[in-house]
Amino acid sequence: VQLQASGGGLVQPGGSLRLSCAASGSIFSIAYMGWFRQAPGKVRELVADMSRIPTTNYADSVKGRFTTSRDNAKNTVYLQMNALKPEDTAVYYCNLRGIMAPMLTPFDSWGQGTLVTVSS
């Protein structure tokens, strides 16, 4: 399964962006989707994730500002980011885990990353 992330860019503090992550391939089911980010000189950190139940978790730093969602028909996940701050500047990665058809084999795929820069 290949993931194509998009939607990053330059935005002013307080602005909004919506990241998308489109999955291609024969997907039987998605058990987990996550958004991570890595700022320069820092380790990659979890931003938000959603399991199949579904249960959604957000990093404390983004709670109330970011929302993750999925469109099962399009095999696409989204990260809506509002009230962006300079400290949100990072490369954002999507991660999907699930089962591929027709052999029902597991997959764990990462997108290529999309850069979000929050600056005036």
Side-chain angles (χ1 to χ4, degrees), residues 64-86:
R65 301 187 297 123
F66 290 12
T67 303
T68 189
S69 61
R70 59 190 284 182
D71 184 331
N72 291 328
K74 296 181 178 180
N75 281 336
T76 300
V77 299
Y78 303 97
L79 182 68
Q80 177 66 44
M81 305 184 295
N82 299 326
L84 283 160
K85 304 175 181 180

Side-chain angles (χ1 to χ4, degrees), residues 36-119:
F36 296 76
R37 68 185 181 186
Q38 187 166 17
K42 295 188 177 181
V43 299
R44 188 174 297 186
E45 64 176 358
L46 175 69
V47 176
D49 63 7
M50 179 186 291
S51 65
R52 180 166 34 198
I53 301 176
T55 301
T56 306
N57 299 299
Y58 296 94
D60 288 342
S61 59
V62 307
K63 281 181 181 176
R65 301 187 297 123
F66 290 12
T67 303
T68 189
S69 61
R70 59 190 284 182
D71 184 331
N72 291 328
K74 296 181 178 180
N75 281 336
T76 300
V77 299
Y78 303 97
L79 182 68
Q80 177 66 44
M81 305 184 295
N82 299 326
L84 283 160
K85 304 175 181 180
E87 51 263 42
D88 295 319
T89 295
V91 178
Y92 284 71
Y93 299 89
C94 54
N95 173 224
L96 264 62
R97 306 169 197 170
I99 304 296
M100 293 182 64
M103 300 301 291
L104 303 184
T105 54
F107 72 89
D108 182 350
S109 298
W110 288 84
Q112 83 282 12
T114 184
L115 177 62
V116 173
T117 302
V118 184
S119 175

